[in-house]
Amino acid sequence: MTSSKKIGILTSGGDCSGLNAAIRAVTHCAESVYGWEVIGICRATRGLLNQPPDVMKLTTSQVDNWLTMGGTMLGTTNKGNPFSFPMEDGTRCDRSQEIIDNYHSLGLDALIGIGGDGSLAILHKLAKQGNINFVGIPKTIDNDVSVTEKSIGFESAVNIATEALDRLHFTAASHERVMIVEVMGRDAGHIAINAGIAGGAHVVLIPEIDYDLKMVCDFICDRQNSGNNYTLVVVSEAVCTESGQTLQKELQFGECRLGGIGQYLADKVAAKTGSETRVTVLGHIQRGGTASPLDRLLASAFGVAAVNLIAEEKFDRMVTWEQGQVSSVPISEAIKTYRTVNPEGTLVKTARGLGICLGDRPLSGKVNRLERQLQGMA
Ligand code: F6P
């Protein structure tokens, strides 16, 4: 490769706060430090299905005020796997070679892809097949990309969920209600456990810990009996029903959208405890808006590190955050599995120590309602 380079950048998968801060950092570092040209590819790999490819030249002056902006100025998609692309007639088609050919027509020396585990796996496969010099940056509000302790967007999502809980305390207390807050996170409970602790929730249910509905209802009744007139429950969208069913809407082409566990629990809790119960589904609010200062820092550090990897000609790697430092790993390592909440880890221990009910066992040292009944105390 020549020392003067032309690099591409795209954002793929669900948007989140901090994506524009990462694009800005890549553009700044590539242009100001190395004197390279940066080309933004629009709407992820979809932009490379257009003829000509849907791209925009990025300059430092253009991206300078993108630091705080939510969403992604390049656009994105979380649908349309190029290896099994959904066609208008309802069939699926492998369009990967079209994307690779269009990528090469741009004359790019390397590509930076900002995505979650699904997008990074697709981009890694495209890069292998098409001989593309690829570097990945992890982003997702779910924080489930393995190997990296943090992904762009997670901290902002936790801030939003925490702020929602802060507000809900007052209305829940005023009306003496059980307030159930359903948060995103896919199969990982990171948003729920982080926001639950930070926002002072009383019950936190995550997919990694099976709950017993009776335990949760007894906990709520015990709170009421001891003079606490309201309860705040946080539930992660992938938490199952009592019979082990994940609540989701089946979409076209085998895709599905999680949602509904908040209302399911509300109906059960209301019936079993007699409490007035309300549900708040935070939904895409968690993905939107100004990036938190920590997400801006992470995005900036990842953007600069990704450009440096290209300068060192270290490809097929993903930048990571480990113990306060940016590092990198082979992408194959990062996409092997996904990161879930450790049921024996610090956050779960912290929640238990704070007396937060995780639905799996009575709080130690306390006799719950069921036990009192069994002992003839109730
Ligand atoms: O992966 C990010 C995420 O926000 C998940 O937490 C959520 O389940 C999903 O995306 C929602 O996707 P969509 O934007 O397609 O509704």
Side-chain angles (χ1 to χ4, degrees), residues 1-9 35-39 41 103-112 130-135 309-311 313-316:
M1 289 203 309
T2 57
S3 58
S4 165
K5 297 190 203 304
K6 187 173 166 191
I7 65 168
I9 180 166
W36 300 345
E37 197 182 334
V38 182
I39 302 295
I41 296 167
Y103 168 82
H104 286 303
S105 76
L106 295 169
L108 298 173
D109 295 298
L111 174 69
I112 294 177
N131 215 11
I132 295 171
N133 294 325
F134 181 64
V135 172
L309 280 178
I310 294 175
E313 308 210 347
K314 290 186 179 159
F315 300 116
D316 206 22

Side-chain angles (χ1 to χ4, degrees), residues 298-320:
L298 186 68
S300 301
F302 277 172
V304 167
V307 172
N308 287 337
L309 280 178
I310 294 175
E312 292 162 23
E313 308 210 347
K314 290 186 179 159
F315 300 116
D316 206 22
R317 298 185 75 80
M318 182 190 84
V319 294
T320 60

